[in-house]
Amino acid sequence: MKYVPVKKEGIILRKTQLNFESEGVLNPAVIKEKGKIHLFYRAVAKGNFSSIGHCLLSDPVTVESRMDIPVIVPEFEYEKHGVEDPRIVKIDHLFYLTCTCYDGMNALGKLLTSKDMISWKNEGIIVPKISYEKFKLLSESDGTIHEKYQRFNKSRISNNSNEPSFLWDKNLIFFPRRINGKLYFIHRIRPDIQIVNIESIEELTPDFWEDYFLHFKDHILLSPKYDHEISYIGGGCPPIETQSGWLMIYHGVHDTISGYVYSACAALLDLDDPEKEIARLPYPLFRPEEKWELKGEVNNVCFPTGSIIENDHLYIYYGAADKRIAVASVNISELLTELMKYPS
């Protein structure tokens, strides 16, 4: 098997002595706008409290300027322990930034919108707030679902405390344009990646989600398939539009005697029907190999969250061992050619 060549460009951002990012920087949202590359990254303070920092790149691997304060901070009770792992796209002249809110118990995806990437409107949590018990009841109404859903989520069973316990729903990522007039986004309830399509955000009511879970199996987009992703998978970079289809760079996880290993993976979705997988690499696009990926706050992690294309090269930005931000590059034409060898 001939692997598509990937170049590890190295670390581009490290933690500093500033309080808000003294423990680590990782998992950035990336977007190019008016010739500038913006990174909105997760910054971790002592106690594992996260906010979102910002820097500008002059080229795909060079930091030009960096803010010394966070640009997005926790404001509400549901995110009192931090806002994590941002992703960003631009749809209809509006920037959509999604991140995970963590209150110390629950981890749920929320949306912020902006016209200028300076002032942000909080749209709140848009994924479902659902207990494991209700999820199981609804999703198994037309047959059992994979036992991994129980294995990974049963710990979320509501307890007797005053704090409600919800199913963790992370990796909320929008497609970068409407498709057939609809907004599409992916999200992740372990172990699979699920997909949603709506006309507008206002549709995401409790009734919408109840119906969604009644037909849950219909909304599973990608499931673990190969050895390097056999434990579970989750969203990575926002989908990238190509002539061959929507290029999905996602993360795949497999368990080893020394813990989980997180790799960057690649798949293709149909351009007009993104709920249809058309190809997938049977091996990781890249995996932890370098010392900065093997050792950190969490060892053995390459966690892709943002990308840009420059001169037929795809630059993938990723959290390396949950401590610093690194970049890998690949010729996108070669990657697409390789992907098409492995139709789903």
Side-chain angles (χ1 to χ4, degrees):
M1 186 181 293
K2 182 184 177 184
Y3 294 90
V4 61
V6 174
K7 180 184 179 184
K8 299 281 182 74
E9 303 280 355
I11 301 166
I12 62 162
L13 210 68
R14 301 175 186 269
K15 66 181 183 179
T16 70
Q17 296 302 307
L18 296 169
N19 287 338
F20 81 99
E21 58 182 15
S22 61
E23 294 298 300
V25 296
L26 60 154
N27 304 357
V30 184
I31 195 166
K32 187 172 183 179
E33 178 70 9
K34 296 178 180 177
K36 293 288 186 181
I37 303 167
H38 296 256
L39 258 69
F40 293 91
Y41 59 90
R42 177 179 172 186
V44 185
K46 282 189 169 63
N48 194 33
F49 289 89
S50 297
S51 58
I52 307 298
H54 176 262
C55 68
L56 286 173
L57 306 187
S58 56
D59 63 50
V61 296
T62 306
V63 175
E64 178 182 284
S65 61
R66 182 174 181 176
M67 294 190 68
D68 58 6
I69 56 171
V71 293
I72 297 171
V73 297
E75 295 182 77
F76 304 96
E77 189 70 14
Y78 58 73
E79 57 191 10
K80 62 186 179 183
H81 222 286
V83 285
E84 306 175 352
D85 303 351
R87 274 79 159 196
I88 191 169
V89 297
K90 189 179 185 182
I91 309 169
D92 302 338
H93 309 293
L94 197 64
F95 296 97
Y96 285 61
L97 187 145
T98 51
C99 57
T100 297
C101 302
Y102 185 52
D103 65 3
M105 176 182 290
N106 300 300
L108 297 167
K110 88 162 184 174
L111 170 66
L112 301 102
T113 57
S114 175
K115 294 179 180 178
D116 56 12
M117 290 193 290
I118 298 171
S119 59
W120 293 91
K121 178 186 177 186
N122 179 53
E123 308 285 355
I125 292 171
I126 66 168
V127 300
K129 293 180 179 178
I130 186 171
S131 68
Y132 171 77
E133 298 95 326
K134 188 170 183 180
F135 164 76
K136 188 173 190 301
L137 179 68
L138 294 173
S139 63
E140 294 193 338
S141 61
D142 61 348
T144 57
I145 57 174
H146 199 287
E147 59 87 18
K148 282 186 179 179
Y149 278 96
Q150 176 172 318
R151 189 192 316 169
F152 284 126
N153 298 293
K154 195 173 182 181
S155 63
R156 310 303 309 154
I157 286 178
S158 301
N159 50 41
N160 294 322
S161 76
N162 294 326
E163 300 290 333
S165 178
F166 299 124
L167 207 63
W168 278 26
D169 197 333
K170 304 174 71 174
N171 301 304
L172 169 63
I173 308 165
F174 277 80
F175 283 69
R177 68 166 172 85
R178 289 181 179 268
I179 304 166
N180 301 318
K182 291 191 172 185
L183 292 167
Y184 279 78
F185 65 83
I186 58 172
H187 62 127
R188 199 282 305 278
I189 298 169
R190 286 204 293 182
D192 303 323
I193 298 172
Q194 298 85 25
I195 191 166
V196 177
N197 71 79
I198 49 174
E199 300 282 349
S200 69
I201 299 299
E202 287 70 33
E203 287 181 47
L204 300 172
T205 63
D207 285 346
F208 173 93
W209 287 115
E210 184 159 322
D211 181 73
Y212 182 88
F213 286 116
L214 282 170
H215 306 91
F216 184 63
K217 288 194 283 289
D218 295 339
H219 305 299
I220 295 172
L221 176 64
L222 299 176
S223 297
K225 185 175 180 181
Y226 297 110
D227 288 348
H228 62 278
E229 60 185 21
I230 198 64
S231 294
Y232 60 91
I233 60 175
C237 309
I240 302 150
E241 187 171 5
T242 75
Q243 290 184 335
S244 303
W246 292 102
L247 174 59
M248 288 274 291
I249 305 298
Y250 62 98
H251 69 268
V253 184
H254 74 278
D255 204 1
T256 70
I257 55 171
S258 56
Y260 285 130
V261 176
Y262 286 72
S263 299
C265 311
L268 270 179
L269 309 178
D270 187 87
L271 213 52
D272 295 317
D273 180 11
E275 299 187 24
K276 179 182 177 185
E277 177 189 350
I278 57 177
R280 190 190 309 202
L281 282 188
Y283 56 84
L285 182 60
F286 60 91
R287 64 183 189 275
E289 295 172 312
E290 306 292 344
K291 60 183 180 181
W292 66 79
E293 302 162 341
L294 298 171
K295 297 292 181 183
E297 291 299 317
V298 181
N299 295 336
N300 302 310
V301 173
C302 292
F303 194 90
T305 48
S307 68
I308 61 165
I309 297 173
E310 296 273 281
N311 302 320
D312 203 36
H313 273 74
L314 177 66
Y315 291 85
I316 301 168
Y317 298 79
Y318 64 99
D322 274 18
K323 191 172 184 178
R324 72 279 296 178
I325 293 169
V327 185
S329 64
V330 59
N331 182 290
I332 194 164
S333 297
E334 291 180 11
L335 174 56
L336 293 171
T337 300
E338 177 71 3
L339 263 166
M340 295 308 289
K341 295 177 184 175
Y342 305 101
S344 299

